[in-house]
């Protein structure tokens, strides 16, 4: 079943008098959603016992949890100490993910810094390969996935081809397709044909299981000639992408285990519900 939910807490959740994320799982269930992404973007401050409480509350309310690893991770960095720190950020994120009973950890894989794209991508590939060896030793778990994300700025590593190619390296790597970011890189040209190319490339390189279990970030995003500028909401009329053609393709290609997170500004649960309504009307 394709699942829908927000990244973080919607303004409406707070306006209705809630303040603690412990309350969000029941709130999401009542709102008609079944997925929640917890962001460690600015650091991993969540206590273990709170993570376990989230796990229980999520299970009671049939909410699947995913996490987003810190933004500081950069597997292209030529400095070994920085790489060890990146590995530690990923491990800590996955440790909390397991306590929360979740199964997908989103990660921004790297940035070019002052290197050529080729050098940066080579570093990312080597370091990701080494990391996945640690991952096997540490977790030995077929049910948790590290999910490198397609990125929205040109100096970041993470075109859809780069991400899909990196995900061929290990069975526990599944792509996060952030279609808002992909649309920024394509300067607004993410139409049905482009969506189809991405899906077909994923089937070709990664096969059925990974493609049908893809993680998706969906929001409209403003872009400039440098790429991503800022996240918008679905009712924005100036920037894309549109969800309808993607929904049709997900249904036609039977991508029926995708997890779809809305990262709309401030109203991510309300927009996740809109995406869900578009998807199930199509179905
Ligand atoms: Zn992200």
């Amino acid at each position: 079943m394709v699942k829908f939910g927000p990244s973080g807490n919607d303004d409406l959740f707070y306006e209705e008098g809630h303040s603690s994320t412990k309350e969000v799982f029941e709130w999401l269930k009542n709102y008609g959603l079944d997925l929640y992404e917890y962001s460690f973007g600015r650091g991993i401050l969540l206590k273990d016992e709170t993570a376990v409480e989230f796990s229980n509350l999520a299970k009671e309310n049939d909410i699947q949890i995913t996490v987003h690893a810190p933004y500081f991770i950069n597997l292209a960095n030529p400095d070994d100490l920085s790489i060890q720190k990146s590995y530690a950020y990923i491990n800590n994120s996955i440790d909390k993910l397991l306590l929360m009973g979740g199964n997908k950890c989103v990660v921004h894989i790297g940035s070019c810094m002052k290197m050529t794209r080729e050098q940066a991508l080579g570093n990312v590939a080597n370091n990701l390969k080494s990391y996945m060896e640690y991952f096997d030793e540490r977790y030995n778990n077929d049910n948790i996935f590290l999910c490198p994300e397609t990125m929205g700025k040109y100096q970041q590593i993470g075109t859809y081809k780069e991400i899909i190619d990196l995900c061929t390296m290990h069975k526990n790597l599944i792509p996060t397709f952030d279609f808002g970011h992909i649309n920024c890189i394509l300067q607004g040209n993410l139409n049905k044909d482009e969506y189809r190319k991405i899906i077909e490339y994923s089937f070709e390189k990664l096969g059925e299981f990974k493609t049908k279990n893809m993680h998706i970030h969906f929001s409209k995003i403003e872009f400039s000639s440098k790429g991503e500028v800022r996240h918008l909401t679905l009712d924005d009329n100036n920037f894309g992408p549109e969800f309808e053609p993607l929904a049709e393709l997900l249904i036609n290609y039977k991508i029926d285990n995708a997890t779809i997170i809305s990262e709309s500004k401030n109203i991510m649960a309300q927009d996740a519900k809109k995406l869900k309504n578009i998807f199930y009307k199509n179905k």
Side-chain angles (χ1 to χ4, degrees):
M1 189 178 67
V2 176
K3 293 185 177 178
F4 292 84
S7 164
N9 298 337
D10 196 294
D11 278 356
L12 186 61
F13 172 74
Y14 296 112
E15 282 159 20
E16 290 183 358
H18 300 283
S19 55
S20 164
T21 297
K22 288 174 194 170
E23 297 163 28
V24 83
F25 304 101
E26 189 181 358
W27 187 85
L28 287 172
K29 183 184 185 167
N30 292 335
Y31 197 67
L33 296 170
D34 44 18
L35 182 67
Y36 183 70
E37 189 151 292
Y38 191 91
S39 181
F40 296 125
R42 289 177 182 84
I44 305 172
L45 302 171
L46 182 70
K47 292 194 186 116
D48 283 357
E49 52 268 37
T50 313
V52 172
E53 275 185 78
F54 286 174
S55 169
N56 294 330
L57 290 162
K59 269 184 211 124
E60 277 167 31
N61 292 290
D62 296 315
I63 307 294
Q64 184 178 333
I65 294 183
T66 58
V67 299
H68 196 308
Y71 301 136
F72 325 121
I73 292 165
N74 183 0
L75 296 187
N77 199 316
D79 174 58
D80 191 52
L81 192 63
S82 304
I83 290 299
Q84 297 307 321
K85 282 186 188 161
S86 285
Y87 290 172
Y89 282 129
I90 300 174
N91 284 336
N92 292 341
S93 301
I94 295 176
D95 291 349
K96 300 287 183 191
L97 174 71
L98 286 169
L99 291 174
M100 281 194 261
N103 70 336
K104 286 173 173 166
C105 176
V106 177
V107 62
H108 297 179
I109 211 73
S111 172
C112 289
M113 302 167 81
K114 290 190 168 95
M115 294 166 280
T116 64
R117 192 167 197 91
E118 207 181 1
Q119 276 175 315
L121 193 55
N123 289 354
V124 167
N126 286 334
N127 290 324
L128 184 59
K129 189 163 177 278
S130 303
Y131 174 74
M132 293 314 288
E133 286 165 15
Y134 294 131
F135 176 98
D136 282 334
E137 283 171 30
R138 187 178 172 99
Y139 300 108
N140 186 26
N141 185 332
D142 282 340
N143 301 313
I144 47 169
F145 300 96
L146 186 63
C147 304
E149 179 178 345
T150 59
M151 300 306 295
K153 290 184 183 143
Y154 293 103
Q155 88 273 19
Q156 293 168 309
I157 297 298
T159 65
Y160 78 83
K161 281 193 176 163
E162 287 166 349
I163 293 299
I164 289 172
D165 290 349
L166 288 168
C167 286
T168 61
M169 296 199 312
H170 193 281
K171 63 183 182 354
N172 294 67
L173 293 169
I174 282 186
T176 299
F177 293 112
D178 186 316
F179 288 107
H181 286 162
I182 294 172
N183 188 54
C184 293
I185 294 297
L186 295 175
Q187 292 288 301
N189 289 312
L190 179 57
N191 54 26
K192 194 166 184 180
D193 282 344
E194 292 295 330
Y195 277 127
R196 189 192 305 278
K197 275 190 215 164
I198 297 164
I199 290 170
E200 291 200 339
Y201 192 68
S202 180
F203 271 114
E204 180 197 326
K205 289 277 180 156
L206 300 175
E208 284 223 348
F209 176 81
K210 288 188 179 188
T211 305
K212 292 192 172 188
N213 283 277
M214 66 169 66
H215 192 50
I216 293 175
H217 282 173
F218 199 94
S219 47
K220 292 192 174 181
I221 303 178
E222 182 183 337
F223 58 86
S224 69
S225 58
K226 290 184 181 137
E228 174 180 12
V229 175
R230 65 190 174 107
H231 284 237
L232 305 165
T233 60
L234 286 180
D235 59 16
D236 183 86
N237 291 318
N238 297 315
F239 291 91
E242 298 306 323
F243 185 63
E244 286 81 355
L246 176 62
E248 279 174 32
L249 290 168
L250 293 175
I251 291 162
N252 293 343
Y253 282 91
K254 298 189 170 59
I255 298 176
D256 39 23
N257 267 318
T259 39
I260 305 183
I261 291 288
S262 164
E263 289 189 323
S264 283
K265 188 177 166 56
N266 301 334
I267 57 164
M268 43 294 233
Q270 296 171 65
D271 274 0
K273 189 67 187 290
K274 277 192 188 168
L275 297 176
K276 185 174 180 179
N277 289 340
I278 293 168
F279 183 84
Y280 282 104
K281 232 174 272 162
N282 262 315
K283 209 157 175 157

